[in-house]
Amino acid sequence: MSLDDLHLNLRNLTPEDYPQLKTLMDRVYHDIGGAWPKRTIERLISEFPDGQIAIEDDETLVGVALTARVDYEEFSNPHRYDDLMDQREIILNAPEGDAMYGLDVLIDPAYRGYRLGRRLYEARKDLCKSLNMRAILAGGRIPNYHQYASEMSPAEYLDQVSRKEIHDPILSFQLANDFQIKRLLRKYLPEDEKSQGYATLLEWNNILFEPAESVLDTRKTQVRVGAVQWQMREFSSVEAVLQQAEYFVDALSDYQSDFAVFPELFNAPLMGLQDRAAQQDQIAAIRFLAGFTERFKTELSRMAVSYNINIVAGSMIEEHEDGHLYNIAYLFHRDGNIEAQAKLHITPQERRDWIIEGGDDLRVFDTDAGRIGILICYDVEFPELSRLLADQDMDILFVPFWTDTKNGYLRVRHCAQARAIENECYVVLCGSVGNVPSIENMEIQYAQSSVFSPSDFAFPHDAVLAETTPNTEMIMFSDLDLTRLTVVRNEGSVTNLKDRRQDLFDLRWRDWSWKSGGRPSGSRQDDA
């Protein structure tokens, strides 16, 4: 048959199609009883019309997929084909079922080779997603097993088909269409002599399935991030810094952002409230800066609640009772909760000039707009950290940073973009700009804040969702679709997280909680 002669149309089956359907089923299923009775098909169409899918060529039926609704918990466990119907051969369709059950897929032998079966399977998957059903289940015959039954068990046969050492016309096709074998079914269809009565219980999991829940409890899948490319400048008072921060929070809230992001140590210009001579003692200067942190925490938490926005407050210096100094990123939830992530890797300059120490803990934070991680500047250059966060189902990684030169910035940028690709997540990079010669260690800044995505068809060709003008104070917005992460992690061109050779290597976080006098966990709960 010439391709020029094909005029294919995908549609739902109707009761008027039964004569053609009977002819097709008798031809394809001649070895297991042929066509369903007319009343069976009419009842199935009546109860679940969307699930009965047909392909016609110039009004001739050439392919059909028959489907029922079932309860997942019942049919994801061992069962027989007879469990799907009553004694009158009426298929037991469950109107409130949370899964689809693939009864039959049949293609006219004259039309094989045109991948029509795949077209029907894709239509089933689209229907499963649109109806928000948990999965597609199917009992799959293994019609070539009778050729090998004398030399191997059914389990060995399934293993060799899975490894493509044996071809089975049904199982090989189902595996190629992303179905997974859940278990072997015995006496599934006793009259199926070619399969020796065996079948596979197969499942295609709907990765976008969302259990029914109240609207208020539903987590957002469309998230708007607003980042502030903050200009370091001289400020005359603490109030002036807070006023500038509130201006940006207000603006980001007006644009319905879910997050407002600030750079690392964005309040560092407050060291300039000391004169230049006092700043020469840099340890004293950084302790002076730490003295403002509690007030900033109080005010930023108020802003998060008042403006209904989650604030990733870059980072600030915190001094503990033992005199140790830490670089801490605070997450101010819009419900008033406050959480913290310490910088773990301290740069040589931070250690040398400010005696900053690194924290000891790392975690993913649950928010009302996704699961997020925070790595402060230098930390993003250590890929183990973001991989540990990815193992905790992180959606968005925030990287507040402070770099002085372009080559320093590019180290952070390139590492951040690599983290987005290898961990299949979004990465938000937020830095500061401006020159403040009057303040020690703040003479120059360089930044181009950006938002990176995984690199696949659902995202921009360069995997950059948004970026600012370099070295200019401004705000940046980006809308992040969390469902795209679910899809790329399961069905992407490559699936980095799934394909890791964990039989060869693994990554573990060492627990130092037993140590006395431990450093900050980075996941403390503070009173708002």
Side-chain angles (χ1 to χ4, degrees):
M1 181 184 299
S2 170
L3 287 173
D4 295 335
D5 296 329
L6 290 177
H7 299 90
L8 300 176
N9 179 41
L10 187 73
R11 62 172 175 82
N12 287 116
L13 202 65
T14 69
E16 291 72 31
D17 292 316
Y18 183 75
Q20 288 195 64
L21 176 62
K22 183 179 187 311
T23 300
L24 183 59
M25 294 190 80
D26 284 340
R27 185 183 310 152
V28 175
Y29 293 149
H30 60 87
D31 57 337
I32 54 171
W36 290 102
K38 184 177 182 180
R39 65 178 183 279
T40 304
I41 298 300
E42 289 179 341
R43 180 76 170 265
L44 188 60
I45 293 173
S46 172
E47 293 184 344
F48 190 24
D50 290 340
Q52 318 319 316
I53 305 167
I55 297 177
E56 62 181 358
D57 179 22
D58 279 337
E59 300 184 358
T60 299
L61 210 61
V62 297
V64 172
L66 301 177
T67 313
R69 292 186 70 147
V70 297
D71 179 73
Y72 178 84
E73 292 301 327
E74 179 180 356
F75 284 93
S76 61
N77 287 299
H79 61 276
R80 297 181 181 182
Y81 197 65
D82 286 347
D83 295 332
L84 288 159
M85 66 194 72
D86 66 15
Q87 295 179 349
R88 298 177 298 115
E89 292 190 296
I90 297 299
I91 294 167
L92 300 175
N93 191 71
E96 302 302 320
D98 59 352
M100 292 166 55
Y101 196 100
L103 299 167
D104 293 298
V105 170
L106 53 151
I107 304 297
D108 187 320
Y111 284 79
R112 291 175 183 168
Y114 294 112
R115 302 170 71 87
L116 301 187
R118 181 178 293 273
R119 192 175 303 199
L120 291 168
Y121 269 62
E122 291 302 319
R124 255 189 193 159
K125 292 175 186 177
D126 289 342
L127 178 62
C128 185
K129 292 175 183 176
S130 69
L131 295 177
N132 190 36
M133 304 189 80
R134 178 178 294 186
I136 302 174
L137 300 169
R141 300 168 59 213
I142 45 176
N144 277 7
Y145 177 59
H146 69 283
Q147 300 175 17
Y148 300 88
S150 63
E151 55 189 89
M152 64 180 68
S153 68
E156 291 170 329
Y157 178 80
L158 299 187
D159 180 62
Q160 294 203 28
V161 173
S162 298
R163 290 190 280 118
K164 298 186 178 180
E165 295 175 4
I166 294 175
H167 176 79
D168 185 278
I170 293 180
L171 180 56
S172 296
F173 174 75
Q174 290 165 323
L175 294 176
N177 280 276
D178 302 321
F179 277 75
Q180 304 295 319
I181 300 173
K182 286 183 66 75
R183 65 180 76 246
L184 180 68
L185 299 175
R186 303 175 187 276
K187 299 181 180 179
Y188 179 74
L189 198 62
E191 63 267 30
D192 180 8
E193 296 180 359
K194 290 184 177 180
S195 302
Q196 305 278 286
Y198 291 103
T200 54
L201 176 57
L202 296 138
E203 178 175 343
W204 177 81
N205 181 44
N206 178 12
I207 58 175
L208 302 180
F209 171 69
E210 295 181 359
E213 53 191 346
S214 76
V215 173
L216 292 179
D217 291 335
T218 302
R219 177 171 291 173
K220 296 172 66 103
T221 58
Q222 303 293 321
V223 175
R224 177 165 294 174
V225 169
V228 180
Q229 187 159 281
W230 174 271
Q231 181 172 339
M232 297 292 197
R233 53 167 70 83
E234 292 187 42
F235 288 98
S236 60
S237 65
V238 178
E239 290 75 18
V241 182
L242 289 169
Q243 183 179 27
Q244 185 70 13
E246 187 159 5
Y247 161 75
F248 283 120
V249 170
D250 187 4
L252 295 172
S253 175
D254 284 345
Y255 285 94
Q256 288 80 50
S257 289
D258 296 292
F259 292 98
V261 191
F262 288 87
E264 178 184 20
L265 297 180
F266 70 101
N267 69 347
L270 288 174
M271 288 187 290
L273 296 181
Q274 298 178 302
D275 60 35
R276 188 77 175 188
Q279 293 177 43
Q280 297 308 305
D281 184 346
Q282 293 189 41
I283 297 176
I286 204 69
R287 291 188 190 278
F288 175 77
L289 179 62
F292 300 108
T293 296
E294 285 304 314
R295 181 171 179 188
F296 269 80
K297 287 166 62 178
T298 299
E299 290 299 312
L300 286 166
S301 182
R302 173 190 62 79
M303 293 179 205
V305 174
S306 299
Y307 292 98
N308 190 28
I309 190 170
N310 301 299
I311 300 176
V312 179
S315 72
M316 293 178 279
I317 299 298
E318 184 172 289
E319 182 176 4
H320 286 202
E321 292 180 359
D322 58 8
H324 293 170
L325 297 167
Y326 300 92
N327 188 348
I328 306 281
Y330 293 96
L331 170 62
F332 300 95
H333 294 262
R334 50 184 153 200
D335 64 2
N337 189 30
I338 303 174
E339 297 183 283
Q341 173 64 60
K343 190 173 185 176
L344 305 182
H345 295 86
I346 305 305
T347 65
Q349 180 270 326
E350 287 176 292
R351 286 198 306 271
R352 181 183 65 246
D353 296 344
W354 293 337
I355 320 299
I356 302 293
E357 298 191 35
D360 281 335
D361 198 20
L362 180 73
R363 60 168 291 195
V364 166
F365 303 101
D366 262 316
T367 76
D368 56 13
R371 289 174 60 79
I372 74 164
I374 304 172
L375 295 179
I376 303 172
C377 197
Y378 195 31
D379 278 341
V380 81
E381 298 180 32
F382 297 84
E384 298 88 350
L385 298 182
S386 56
R387 179 50 54 85
L388 287 164
L389 293 172
D391 284 340
Q392 300 176 59
D393 300 322
M394 172 183 65
D395 300 310
I396 308 169
L397 175 62
F398 291 96
V399 183
F401 71 96
W402 177 9
T403 54
D404 51 358
T405 62
K406 187 172 184 179
N407 61 342
Y409 160 72
L410 289 175
R411 279 198 306 271
V412 175
R413 178 189 177 96
H414 293 324
C415 288
Q417 189 156 27
R419 304 297 86 87
I421 292 170
E422 67 197 14
N423 296 303
E424 297 168 325
C425 66
Y426 295 110
V427 177
V428 180
L429 198 61
C430 182
S432 56
V433 300
N435 307 313
V436 194
S438 63
I439 301 176
E440 193 74 21
N441 276 334
M442 291 191 64
E443 289 87 350
I444 57 174
Q445 340 283 320
Y446 186 94
Q448 183 180 22
S449 302
S450 309
V451 180
F452 304 121
S453 72
S455 186
D456 214 323
F457 292 112
F459 306 99
H461 72 95
D462 57 358
V464 178
L465 287 168
E467 56 188 354
T468 61
T469 303
N471 279 0
T472 301
E473 184 172 61
M474 61 184 294
I475 57 179
M476 169 187 69
F477 295 98
S478 186
D479 287 341
L480 312 181
D481 185 346
L482 302 188
T483 60
R484 291 187 178 185
L485 297 181
T486 304
V487 173
V488 78
R489 290 167 182 169
N490 289 274
E491 301 175 358
S493 301
V494 293
T495 48
N496 298 69
L497 292 177
K498 287 173 62 177
D499 293 340
R500 284 177 293 164
R501 288 291 305 276
Q502 292 181 307
D503 57 324
L504 301 179
F505 61 87
D506 60 14
L507 184 62
R508 297 185 301 276
W509 183 265
R510 292 178 178 170
D511 182 7
W512 295 103
S513 60
W514 55 270
K515 292 172 63 178
S516 60
R519 292 172 284 183
S521 68
S523 59
R524 293 182 304 106
Q525 293 281 348
D526 294 278
D527 293 331

